[in-house]
Amino acid sequence: MDLNSILKTKFGFDRFREGQEAVIRSLLGGADTLAMLPTGTGKSLCYQLPAYLLKGSVIVVSPLLSLMQDQTEQMKMRGEKSVIALNSFLTGTERETALRHLQRYKFIFISPEMLHQPYILSRIKQLEIGLFVVDEAHCISQWGYDFRPEYLSLGEVRKSLGMPLTLALTATATEQVREDICKYLELRAPQRFIYSVNRPNIAFKVDCTGSYREKEEKLIAYAKTLKKPGIIYFSSKKAAEEMAERLRLEGIAETAAYHSGVDQEQRILIQQQFIYGQIGIICATSAFGMGINKADIRFVIHFHFPLQMESYLQEIGRAGRDGLPSIAILLYTAGDELLPLQLIESELPTHSQIAAFSGWKGDVKDAEFALGCTEQQYSFLQHYKKLQLPEEEWTLKVASIRDERMAYKRRKLKEMEHWVRSEACRRQEILRYFGEPAFSEKENCCDICGFDVGLYEEKQAVQRVAETLPAWDFLLQKIFRRSEQNG
DNA sequence: CGACCTTAGTTTAGACTAAGGTCGGTGCCCTAAT
C-alpha cells in the first residue's frame, strides 16, 4: 500500500516527518505501539492516516475537552466529516442520536471518564474498532494514580472492547512512565518508537535570587527585555493574576492571565489571541499549554518550582517549535521547593482519612465532606475501594499504596531540586534523566556551558501591525452556539 | 516560602496589633429540582 499517496491526497503533505512512517507501519503490521515523538512533529497523523487503511472506527482517548474540540474542528476543516467528540458538550438528544449511529463515525474522540460510563461503553462495544488511541498517554502515569483514576483503568476498558489494536502517543516520558503506559493499557508485546526529548534550539537558565521581591523584579526585567511571545508559569492562580496586572502596569500591555479559575469562554479567547499574536505574554498555571499549537514561542519562564522533571520538560517544550533560538528560565529562591511539597501533601489522603474511610458506615457520598478530604483525596480512596478486602486489610494495603506514591512524588521533586542545584550542563543532566546518550553541541546550551543572551532579547521595540485577524465575537459565538440556544 | 484569614489580647468600645493557622495546581462527569 502506498502511504505516500494517502499522505498527499488526504493530508496534502509530500513527505513524512521523523518517526511518523515507522509508527504507521508498525500499526498496519498489527502491533500495539508506543510512540514518543517530539512536540510539534504531527503525532495525530500517526492515527489519522492508518484509519483509512484499517477496517472499523478509531477511538481516540483524549484528556481535555478543548483538545477534542480543536482536533475534531481541524479534521473537519481538512474535509473529514465522519468525526465526533463524544463528551458533555453534546446535549442529551445530540448524544442519543450520536450513540444510535456510532458506526457512521470513523473517528470518535472521548475522555477516559466518559469511556467508563457503562451505558456509553456498551454502545462502543457493539462497534468494530480498528484502532484504539491514547493521546497524551503520559497522563496515565501523571494523573492516573490520584487526580484522574479512570486513566489507570483503560486496560480494563480495552479488555471489554476485545483488546483492539492500540497506539499510545506522548512527547515526554521517562522509561518508568513508558512502563506504566504499557502496563496499565495492558499492551501485548508493544513496538516502541522513542525519539529524543532534546531540543537543541532551547537554551536553559536557572536564575537564583536572594528573595521573593528580587525574583519579582528579575521577572519583570525579563518580561521587558526578552523576545516575545512567551509564557510565564506560576503554581498559584493568584500569583499569575497579580503578575499579569503588574506587567500591564509596567507597560507590557499585551499580557493576560490563564488558569482554571478563568471562565471557559475567556480562556478560549485568550488562547486564540495568544496564537494570533495579539497577546505577547501569558501568566499561567499548569492549566495552560496542552494542545497549544504555536510555533514561535520564544521564552518559557518558571516563577515557581516545578513538581517534577517531566512536567518541566513538557512546559518548556512549548517554546521554539519553529527551531529558532528560544530560552527556558527557571527563577529560584532558596525554599521554593516547599510550595510543591505542600501541594504533594494535599494530593493523597492521610492515614487517618484512609482508616476512617475504611470504617465508614454512612452514605459514601457524605464521606468526602465528613473526612475533610479534598476531591482528589476522595477520588483516590474511591478508586481503591474496588480492592474489596476486609476492613483492616484494606486500610493497611491502601495506606501502603499511599506511602509508596508519596515517596515517589517526593523523589521526583528531589530530582528536580538536584537538577536546579547541579553544576553540570543542564542539557546533559536532562538527557541523562531520560536515559539518553550525551549531546555534544555546547553552543547556546545553558547557563553552565554559556550562551549568547542577545539571541533571546528584543533588539528594539517592535511595532506590531494589525494584520487580518479573526473576528473573535463571531468565533466565540460559533463555539458557544449551544449556550446561546439554551439561554 | 508568602499571602491571607482568624483568633486572642488590650482595654473599657470599637478598633488596633501580634500571633497562629491554613492554603497554594492540573479535569472529567450530571447528581436533581425548577
Side-chain angles (χ1 to χ4, degrees):
Chain A
M1 53 195 87
D2 185 8
L3 295 185
N4 282 294
S5 65
I6 301 176
L7 184 69
K8 183 71 187 167
T9 53
K10 284 279 182 187
F11 301 91
F13 297 128
D14 290 320
R15 59 176 59 184
F16 286 103
R17 294 216 190 126
E18 189 183 25
Q20 287 175 332
E21 189 172 358
V23 171
I24 291 168
R25 290 204 183 275
S26 163
L27 289 170
L28 294 175
D32 285 342
T33 303
L34 167 67
M36 181 172 128
L37 304 174
T39 39
T41 47
K43 281 193 283 295
S44 57
L45 190 98
C46 294
Y47 60 81
Q48 289 184 22
L49 195 150
Y52 298 109
L53 296 165
L54 293 163
K55 246 182 105 199
S57 302
V58 178
I59 308 283
V60 184
V61 180
S62 173
L64 301 179
L65 297 178
S66 61
L67 210 58
M68 295 182 206
Q69 298 300 108
D70 276 2
Q71 271 159 349
T72 53
E73 199 67 28
Q74 275 170 27
M75 290 174 77
K76 283 178 184 166
M77 298 232 293
R78 197 193 81 215
E80 176 55 65
K81 303 292 182 203
S82 58
V83 44
I84 191 165
L86 209 53
N87 59 34
S88 58
F89 282 9
L90 299 177
T91 62
T93 45
E94 279 176 329
R95 190 165 72 162
E96 265 316 304
T97 317
L99 284 171
R100 259 202 306 279
H101 307 289
L102 264 192
Q103 70 286 349
R104 284 187 194 164
Y105 298 102
K106 186 74 188 170
F107 298 94
I108 300 164
F109 288 80
I110 191 166
S111 70
E113 288 84 359
M114 193 69 122
L115 206 45
H116 277 79
Q117 303 281 323
Y119 173 58
I120 306 272
L121 189 59
S122 72
R123 289 306 178 98
I124 292 179
K125 265 187 198 167
Q126 293 164 10
L127 280 176
E128 181 178 13
I129 298 169
L131 181 61
F132 186 85
V133 182
V134 182
D135 198 10
E136 308 286 357
H138 58 273
C139 292
I140 292 172
S141 180
Q142 196 169 309
W143 284 351
Y145 289 98
D146 33 55
F147 186 47
R148 293 177 69 178
E150 281 82 358
Y151 259 108
L152 283 197
S153 314
L154 285 176
E156 286 161 31
V157 170
R158 277 191 73 229
K159 261 191 221 156
S160 68
L161 294 177
M163 301 299 265
L165 175 66
T166 296
L167 168 66
L169 288 168
T170 182
T172 322
T174 55
E175 180 53 35
Q176 193 174 357
V177 171
R178 287 174 228 153
E179 286 305 319
D180 269 0
I181 292 170
C182 295
K183 177 181 158 194
Y184 286 103
L185 288 178
E186 303 187 33
L187 300 183
R188 297 155 304 185
Q191 290 282 317
R192 293 151 172 255
F193 297 89
I194 310 298
Y195 291 83
S196 177
V197 294
N198 189 26
R199 304 281 302 283
N201 61 314
I202 300 179
F204 298 94
K205 181 175 185 183
V206 175
D207 197 340
C208 295
T209 60
S211 70
Y212 193 80
R213 294 270 163 264
E214 190 190 330
K215 186 153 93 167
E216 286 180 322
E217 296 313 316
K218 273 205 171 162
L219 178 63
I220 291 164
Y222 279 130
K224 283 182 176 169
T225 54
L226 289 177
K227 272 184 201 156
K228 289 174 245 321
I231 307 172
I232 306 170
Y233 277 105
F234 297 83
S235 298
S236 138
K237 300 180 211 174
K238 193 168 238 171
E241 285 284 348
E242 285 170 358
M243 188 50 74
E245 185 55 36
R246 178 87 189 271
L247 291 177
R248 279 192 290 266
L249 289 174
E250 294 280 344
I252 307 169
E254 299 155 337
T255 304
Y258 186 107
H259 53 75
S260 69
V262 176
D263 70 69
Q264 192 69 16
E265 188 170 344
Q266 187 67 15
R267 279 168 73 165
I268 292 175
L269 179 65
I270 291 169
Q271 192 175 312
Q272 293 299 320
Q273 288 180 326
F274 183 65
I275 286 166
Y276 283 91
Q278 290 171 302
I279 286 177
I281 297 180
I282 297 238
C283 294
T285 61
S286 55
F288 185 77
M290 220 188 263
I292 298 292
N293 275 319
K294 186 168 174 62
D296 63 346
I297 296 173
R298 295 275 71 89
F299 69 82
V300 173
I301 300 177
H302 280 73
F303 186 80
H304 285 136
F305 205 83
L307 285 162
Q308 47 164 304
M309 294 291 283
E310 284 98 312
S311 41
Y312 183 62
L313 241 78
Q314 273 153 23
E315 287 166 356
I316 64 171
R318 286 163 195 147
R321 292 194 183 164
D322 54 9
L324 297 173
S326 307
I327 188 162
I329 300 171
L330 192 146
L331 291 164
Y332 177 75
T333 308
D336 274 0
E337 59 280 358
L338 291 171
L339 198 155
L341 199 59
Q342 288 308 116
L343 286 173
I344 288 172
E345 295 287 338
S346 68
E347 283 175 340
L348 295 161
T350 61
H351 281 197
S352 61
Q353 282 170 333
I354 293 169
F357 184 82
S358 170
W360 185 254
K361 297 288 184 284
D363 194 331
V364 183
K365 280 178 197 149
D366 299 330
E368 178 176 359
F369 181 72
L371 304 180
C373 292
T374 61
E375 195 180 353
Q376 196 176 151
Q377 291 170 325
Y378 181 73
S379 84
F380 179 91
L381 293 168
Q382 191 69 34
H383 177 76
Y384 285 107
K385 215 174 77 169
K386 68 178 176 195
L387 284 174
Q388 291 187 330
L389 294 168
E391 204 173 301
E392 266 178 47
E393 243 176 277
W394 188 89
T395 309
L396 285 173
K397 176 74 183 163
V398 175
S400 90
I401 294 173
R402 178 258 182 214
D403 287 348
E404 219 171 275
R405 194 62 200 158
M406 184 70 83
Y408 174 79
K409 287 177 185 235
R410 288 196 179 130
R411 209 159 55 235
K412 302 298 269 183
L413 183 60
K414 279 278 172 231
E415 286 161 354
M416 190 71 223
E417 280 180 61
H418 176 263
W419 183 79
V420 167
R421 299 225 174 91
S422 168
E423 283 168 21
C425 165
R426 308 275 178 212
R427 192 179 309 276
Q428 302 299 17
E429 289 292 291
I430 287 173
L431 295 179
R432 204 165 57 82
Y433 182 77
F434 281 90
E436 289 188 31
F439 184 73
S440 55
E441 185 62 57
K442 289 281 176 198
E443 206 175 324
N444 294 317
C445 177
C446 64
D447 53 324
I448 308 284
C449 301
F451 57 78
D452 172 12
V453 184
L455 268 179
Y456 313 101
E457 290 179 343
E458 201 96 63
K459 297 282 179 289
Q460 62 206 48
V462 180
Q463 196 78 45
R464 209 177 268 110
V465 187
E467 299 159 46
T468 331
L469 291 163
W472 298 121
D473 47 349
F474 172 75
L475 251 170
L476 288 172
Q477 236 173 54
K478 219 174 95 184
I479 293 165
F480 288 96
R481 93 199 123 78
R482 174 150 319 97
S483 59
E484 286 198 358
Q485 281 166 6
N486 292 351

